[in-house]
């Protein structure tokens, strides 16, 4: 697991912000949901984050639950709203944890990561919120390192069955620890790691809203679109090897799909790839498709001036793709990438950007089902990931991890993928994307 070194802190000393009254309006703004009710209030969910939180787990929780219609609040346990995740992605929280003390939540869900889990554990305000959640028998849960590092020291898993990341299983009581992707024991739900984060989030959708909505949300994420289909198809195989650390550019914009951005960046950085996240907006901070705020490493101008990239990958999101396409500098970089014979690719709706620039000519490609009919030429619609020479495309959220892992495939020699073994599944297994109520309830 990715780790960061830092000094001690105590979140109880964090002063409350004067902007507390804007919390609800911030997290409710522009939320697009599958269902809505004029009479029932939205389910309120707290996702606390700190320095070194596993960004994939945090963002997947927030995104999936917002898609289901939950009112999700990402709260920082640090003195500031901006935190850096365990793989270096910068997130801006909705509020500070100090503003959450008096709120009642239907669910408190703790992401893992190190040292993020220790930052959550050492936050007295969060401990009190979570303890109250347990006392009043409302839903709570933790993933990855958090069950062992946070909930276990707090004494909040007594008489419960639980699971966690394999590296921390020894910290759990052996007679109650189980090796399952998802473990539901009363109001407590635990899970193993980034590779089970979608299942973890969807299990909460099922518990809060019912199995039908969980199936619907899973469908929008393309989680069961690959039944009976290959994960990857490759044509015109070429060598992707380098004699240096590969350098990858991931441009982002307002409306980019945050889960695709975070998964791509997190996985590639775990594989020791030098990833640069560049904003095509005037601001370094962008507001992603589900209102998660991400901070880029550089502007697209600075990124273009400083380096040549071995690979340029475009994340999806309908509005984000439109914003990326408007960037003249990004268009120039993509054209130069093709002319120089370097690798480029896109996921979700963004292959349409490549199409408009003539970068899919004589290439096989795929895209999100909602835009795949816009592609011309040799369209492959029966695989999650399609590689044609030095072009790589993918369908969407449910294939985003397969997309990222395909880039790190040893057969392509782009990077060292053995550093990806800590994603929370048994050795040799890949990620499970189908949603079919994978709950173990005791």
């Amino acid at each position: 697991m990715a780790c960061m070194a830092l000094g001690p802190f105590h979140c109880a000393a964090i002063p409350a912000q004067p902007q507390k009254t804007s919390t609800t309006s911030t997290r409710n703004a522009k939320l697009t949901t599958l269902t809505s009710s004029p009479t029932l209030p939205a389910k309120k969910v707290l996702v606390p984050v700190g320095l070194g939180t596993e960004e994939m787990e945090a963002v997947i929780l927030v995104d999936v639950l917002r898609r289901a219609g939950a009112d999700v609040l990402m709260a920082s346990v640090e003195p500031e709203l901006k935190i850096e995740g365990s793989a270096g992605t910068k997130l801006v929280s909705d509020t500070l944890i100090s503003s959450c003390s008096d709120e009642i939540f239907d669910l408190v869900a703790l992401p893992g990561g190190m040292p993020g889990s220790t930052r959550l554990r050492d936050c007295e305000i969060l401990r009190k919120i979570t303890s109250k959640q347990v006392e009043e028998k409302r839903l709570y849960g933790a993933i990855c390192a958090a069950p062992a590092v946070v909930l276990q020291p707090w004494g909040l898993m007594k008489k419960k069955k639980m699971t966690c990341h394999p590296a921390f299983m020894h910290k759990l009581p052996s007679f109650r620890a189980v090796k399952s992707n998802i473990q539901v024991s009363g109001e407590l739900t635990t899970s193993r790691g980034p590779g089970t984060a979608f299942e973890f989030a969807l299990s909460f959708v099922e518990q809060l809203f019912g199995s039908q909505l969980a199936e619907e949300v899973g469908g929008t994420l393309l989680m069961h679109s690959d039944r009976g289909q290959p994960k990857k198809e490759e044509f015109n195989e070429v060598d992707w090897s380098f004699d240096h650390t590969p350098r990858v550019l991931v441009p982002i914009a307002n409306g980019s799909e945050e889960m695709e951005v975070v998964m791509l960046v997190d996985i590639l950085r775990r594989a020791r790839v030098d990833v640069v996240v560049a904003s095509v907006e005037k601001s370094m901070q962008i507001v992603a498709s589900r209102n998660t705020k991400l901070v880029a490493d550089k502007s697209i101008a600075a990124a273009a001036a400083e380096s040549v990239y071995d690979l340029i990958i475009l994340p999806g999101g309908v509005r984000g793709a439109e914003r990326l396409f408007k960037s003249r500098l990004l268009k120039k970089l993509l054209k130069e990438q093709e002319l120089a014979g370097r690798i480029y690719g896109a996921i979700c709706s963004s292959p349409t950007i490549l199409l408009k620039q003539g970068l899919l000519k004589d290439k096989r490609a795929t895209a999100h089902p909602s835009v795949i009919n816009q592609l011309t030429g040799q369209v492959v619609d029966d695989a999650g990931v399609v590689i044609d020479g030095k072009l790589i495309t993918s369908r969407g959220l449910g294939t985003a991890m397969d997309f990222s892992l395909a880039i790190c495939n040893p057969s392509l020699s782009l990077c060292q993928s053995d550093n990806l073994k800590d994603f929370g599944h048994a050795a040799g297994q890949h990620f499970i994307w189908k949603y079919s109520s994978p709950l173990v309830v005791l």
Side-chain angles (χ1 to χ4, degrees):
M1 300 178 67
C3 294
M4 302 168 64
L6 53 136
F9 91 120
H10 201 286
C11 77
I14 298 173
Q17 294 291 293
Q19 300 175 337
K20 179 179 176 181
T21 54
S22 67
T23 295
T24 301
S25 61
T26 297
R27 51 191 151 137
N28 283 340
K30 301 180 182 178
L31 293 185
T32 304
T33 62
L34 291 174
T35 61
S36 61
S37 171
T39 57
L40 297 178
K43 300 289 186 180
K44 294 174 67 174
V45 178
L46 174 66
V47 178
V49 294
L51 184 58
T53 287
E54 214 310 310
E55 47 263 74
M56 273 198 289
E57 294 163 358
V59 170
I60 288 172
L61 275 168
V62 171
D63 192 316
V64 171
L65 285 162
R66 282 179 176 166
R67 286 170 181 267
D71 178 9
V72 184
L73 181 62
M74 183 190 293
S76 171
V77 303
E78 306 293 343
E80 58 281 322
L81 294 176
K82 187 169 80 171
I83 66 104
E84 184 173 320
S86 60
T89 301
K90 302 175 187 71
L91 305 174
V92 179
S93 305
D94 301 313
T95 190
L96 299 180
I97 195 68
S98 56
S99 70
C100 302
S101 299
D102 298 328
E103 294 207 43
I104 296 175
F105 296 98
D106 296 285
L107 166 66
V108 175
L110 311 182
M114 291 296 284
S117 294
T118 61
R119 305 295 276 188
L120 301 188
R121 180 199 65 199
D122 294 341
C123 179
E124 181 63 16
I125 296 174
L126 178 61
R127 187 193 67 79
K128 289 180 178 179
I129 291 172
T130 312
S131 296
K132 182 180 179 182
Q133 193 81 2
V134 175
E135 291 168 6
E136 298 181 358
K137 296 189 179 301
R138 292 192 296 272
L139 297 179
Y140 68 108
I143 187 172
C144 194
V149 175
V150 186
L151 296 183
Q152 180 68 13
W154 286 351
L156 299 183
M157 297 196 295
K158 293 178 180 178
K159 299 181 180 180
K160 302 287 188 182
K161 292 288 186 180
M162 75 285 288
T163 191
C164 73
H165 191 280
F168 292 88
M169 287 291 284
H170 67 282
K171 293 181 177 292
L172 301 179
S174 58
F175 56 93
R176 293 198 176 274
V178 294
K179 294 180 179 180
S180 60
N181 288 346
I182 303 292
Q183 182 67 43
V184 179
S185 185
E187 294 81 23
L188 170 66
T189 301
T190 51
S191 189
R192 307 204 81 187
T196 64
F198 274 109
E199 292 177 88
F200 184 56
L202 283 171
S203 74
F204 287 131
V205 175
E206 179 175 347
Q207 292 174 75
L208 289 170
F209 301 101
S211 58
Q212 181 177 348
L213 185 57
E215 286 280 356
E216 290 177 15
V217 173
T220 67
L221 300 174
L222 304 182
M223 285 193 169
H224 27 57
S225 63
D226 63 345
R227 291 172 178 168
Q229 298 178 349
K231 287 183 179 292
K232 181 183 74 173
E233 286 196 20
E234 186 170 356
F235 308 90
N236 303 314
E237 295 185 24
V238 297
D239 183 18
W240 284 22
S241 62
F242 300 95
D243 58 2
H244 58 272
T245 299
R247 197 159 169 80
V248 176
L249 176 67
V250 179
I252 59 174
N254 289 326
S256 287
E257 171 40 63
E258 49 263 74
M259 286 195 285
E260 292 170 355
V261 173
V262 169
M263 283 188 281
L264 178 65
V265 173
D266 191 325
I267 291 173
L268 290 178
R269 283 178 174 164
R270 285 172 182 264
R272 305 188 188 112
V273 173
D274 183 5
V275 181
V276 175
V277 180
S279 171
V280 302
E281 306 289 352
K282 293 181 180 178
S283 170
M284 296 285 283
Q285 178 177 308
I286 65 101
V287 180
S289 63
R290 297 288 157 174
N291 289 332
T292 298
K293 294 179 280 292
L294 305 175
V295 180
D297 302 317
K298 300 176 181 179
S299 67
I300 190 70
E306 293 176 10
S307 180
V308 170
Y309 295 90
D310 300 296
L311 192 150
I312 298 176
I313 289 290
L314 310 182
V318 175
R319 192 165 69 92
E322 293 172 352
R323 299 290 297 173
L324 292 179
F325 180 67
K326 291 180 179 179
S327 171
R328 294 180 180 178
L329 185 50
L330 179 58
K331 289 179 182 178
K332 179 175 180 288
L333 289 173
L334 286 168
K335 189 62 179 177
E336 290 174 351
Q337 196 79 359
E338 182 203 31
L339 292 174
R342 296 190 292 267
I343 308 163
Y344 59 96
I347 186 171
C348 193
S349 54
S350 286
T352 59
I353 297 175
L354 303 180
L355 173 70
K356 292 172 184 177
Q357 285 197 235
L359 301 179
L360 296 184
K361 185 179 180 181
D362 300 325
K363 295 285 187 179
R364 294 175 176 86
T366 191
H368 191 277
S370 64
V371 300
I372 198 168
N373 61 354
Q374 298 179 29
L375 302 187
T376 57
Q378 303 176 73
V379 177
V380 180
D381 60 2
D382 59 353
V385 180
V386 177
I387 300 172
D388 188 345
K390 294 193 174 182
L391 167 71
I392 181 167
T393 53
S394 189
R395 289 168 62 83
L397 285 168
T399 64
M401 281 198 184
D402 289 325
F403 179 59
S404 304
L405 289 168
I407 295 172
C408 295
N409 192 313
S411 67
L412 297 178
S413 303
L414 179 68
C415 50
Q416 296 295 322
S417 61
D418 60 349
N419 200 36
L420 304 173
K421 61 187 178 182
D422 61 344
F423 270 63
H425 277 274
Q429 293 183 348
H430 287 295
F431 303 94
I432 297 175
W433 300 115
K434 295 184 294 183
Y435 185 74
S436 55
S437 297
L439 307 184
V440 180
V441 183
L442 295 172

